[in-house]
Amino acid sequence: MMSVTARSGLLAQYLSASSQVVATQLRPTVCLAAPLSSKITLAPRKENLTTESLKQLVPKCGNVRVSSGPHGPMQVRYAHTDIQYPDFSDYRRQPVSDPKTSSEPSSVSRRAFTYAMVGASGVVGAYAAKNIVQELLSTMSASADVLALAKVEVDLKTIAEGKSICVKWRGKPLFVRHRTGDEIETEKGVDVESLRHKEHDDERVKRPEWLILIGVCTHLGCVPIAHAGEYGGYFCPCHGSHYDTSGRIRKGPAPENLEVPEYTFSDDTTVVVG
Amino acid sequence: MFLRTVYNTIFRRSSAFALSILVGAVFFERAFDQGGTALFESMNKGKLWKDIKDDFEKNDNGGGDDDE
């Protein structure tokens, strides 16, 4: 109580007065004054000072509690000098094993060791995290057998100049056409600006004599017919789209050129599509 | 002193510390993977394809020539 009031500025004077009342309100003194009318007679002192004999010296009027100071009851701690302190030398690092020497000179090397341990676990953790993420992502990609079927190999030796073949690739028709020199020349000379879908012939072939296309009309998905139509390339029979010998839309409803898939020439006579 | 140099160059700044962890992880990955592969191959010596390859390829060469 006192500890609260003592801090409240202006009232401190009054409260300090009341604190004195509190401080003097020791039960022994009050008890001695008020309830006992007769003279207190103490028991004769005994020779041996036991707990019991000392207790009889204390006035008997209920509990005796001494409180003083701003914080209420106080305890007295007796310092024990016989406590055995545990030996921490097993847990100390070698440079600080002697508690009487300064730890400062060895602090950098001890910190360096600690950081090295943290860094090493960080390295292992980064490796583990990278592999976990990689494995997790690889479960989302296509499996090896699917990827193997996603490619098709076409032998170009069997396709004579001017001929076109159709193979199945990922469920779609794939056109491979061996263009003649005239066709190549014609397609290279076409004015790009006059086209609906502006693509030069060079953008659509890797080797000019080999034209590789996905045989799906960009209009509504029919399969065009090779060597047909006004431009000699492909002609879609469904709605009459005419494609030239570069697979570009020239006439009819289709909005875009025939799609060119990803392909590579594994050697001079083999093309791998996919 | 060695540890003091290491501490001042790598551990003192968090950026350098993180960078060194990442760089260390690259090298650790390579060493760990190659070490694991080497251990696996040494424990399975004689059972792997590269160990028994020669026995089959001698026969295969003859068959391949016949096919062509």
Side-chain angles (χ1 to χ4, degrees):
Chain A
M1 187 181 102
M2 186 53 200
S3 60
V4 176
T5 54
R7 290 180 193 128
S8 57
L10 289 171
L11 297 169
Q13 288 181 336
Y14 307 102
L15 291 166
S16 69
S18 69
S19 76
Q20 286 176 355
V21 172
V22 172
T24 52
Q25 209 172 21
L26 294 170
R27 286 202 174 171
T29 44
V30 174
C31 290
L32 282 172
L36 296 175
S37 53
S38 60
K39 193 181 177 184
I40 297 170
T41 54
L42 298 175
R45 188 175 173 178
K46 288 183 177 174
E47 288 292 322
N48 52 343
L49 294 173
T50 63
T51 312
E52 195 169 324
S53 66
L54 287 168
K55 217 174 184 178
Q56 287 172 353
L57 295 173
V58 178
K60 291 177 187 61
C61 52
N63 294 328
V64 176
R65 180 181 289 167
V66 177
S67 66
S68 68
H71 298 295
M74 286 176 70
Q75 286 185 327
V76 177
R77 288 189 64 186
Y78 296 101
H80 294 272
T81 53
D82 56 346
I83 290 176
Q84 293 292 319
Y85 285 94
D87 180 20
F88 286 111
S89 58
D90 285 344
Y91 306 98
R92 287 176 185 272
R93 295 183 190 173
Q94 200 272 326
V96 287
S97 57
D98 184 9
K100 292 191 178 69
T101 54
S102 171
S103 64
E104 181 55 32
S106 63
S107 74
V108 165
S109 64
R110 282 182 290 123
R111 265 184 285 167
F113 178 76
T114 305
Y115 278 116
M117 288 294 110
V118 173
S121 54
V123 164
V124 176
Y127 169 76
K130 180 246 168 194
N131 273 303
I132 288 167
V133 170
Q134 195 177 35
E135 291 296 314
L136 194 71
L137 290 177
S138 71
T139 62
M140 297 175 189
S141 67
S143 55
D145 59 333
V146 173
L147 287 176
L149 288 175
K151 284 173 185 280
V152 69
E153 218 175 75
V154 180
D155 186 10
L156 300 176
K157 279 187 288 188
T158 58
I159 308 169
E161 192 171 330
K163 292 287 174 187
S164 176
I165 63 154
C166 181
V167 294
K168 193 180 170 188
W169 175 67
R170 296 187 189 174
K172 289 177 215 158
L174 184 81
F175 295 152
V176 182
R177 184 179 180 129
H178 194 167
R179 298 196 294 184
T180 61
D182 287 349
E183 286 170 342
I184 297 165
E185 240 170 75
T186 312
E187 297 310 331
K188 291 217 184 290
V190 171
D191 179 23
V192 174
E193 286 304 312
S194 70
L195 297 170
R196 184 178 300 165
H197 184 180
K198 295 171 179 50
E199 274 184 320
H200 194 262
D201 187 52
D202 291 344
E203 299 171 48
R204 297 180 56 78
V205 289
K206 287 186 179 171
R207 293 185 188 177
E209 63 270 31
W210 295 108
L211 176 70
I212 291 155
L213 299 168
I214 292 172
V216 175
C217 181
T218 54
H219 179 225
L220 286 172
C222 292
V223 179
I225 301 161
H227 303 293
E230 287 179 24
Y231 297 89
Y234 300 88
F235 173 70
C236 181
C238 294
H239 302 95
S241 295
H242 297 258
Y243 298 92
D244 62 16
T245 47
S246 186
R248 295 178 291 196
I249 179 66
R250 301 294 285 270
K251 191 177 173 185
E256 288 182 338
N257 301 335
L258 290 175
E259 191 182 341
V260 177
E262 289 280 321
Y263 63 92
T264 50
F265 291 93
S266 59
D267 56 56
D268 277 352
T269 59
T270 312
V271 65
V272 178
V273 182
Chain B
M1 192 182 162
F2 173 68
L3 282 175
R4 185 174 290 272
T5 320
V6 169
Y7 178 78
N8 283 332
T9 51
I10 295 173
F11 301 141
R12 204 170 180 85
R13 270 169 296 160
S14 292
S15 57
F17 190 44
L19 189 71
S20 65
I21 284 177
L22 289 178
V23 172
V26 170
F27 288 103
F28 173 77
E29 178 178 29
R30 196 160 164 72
F32 190 79
D33 289 352
Q34 286 190 348
T37 308
L39 182 70
F40 177 83
E41 284 176 356
S42 74
M43 288 174 82
N44 292 287
K45 206 170 183 62
K47 305 176 202 167
L48 302 169
W49 171 245
K50 62 173 189 175
D51 298 331
I52 59 171
K53 203 163 105 181
D54 294 339
D55 305 339
F56 289 89
E57 283 197 334
K58 276 171 200 161
N59 299 334
D60 251 24
N61 284 340
D65 289 343
D66 288 348
D67 284 339
E68 284 186 3

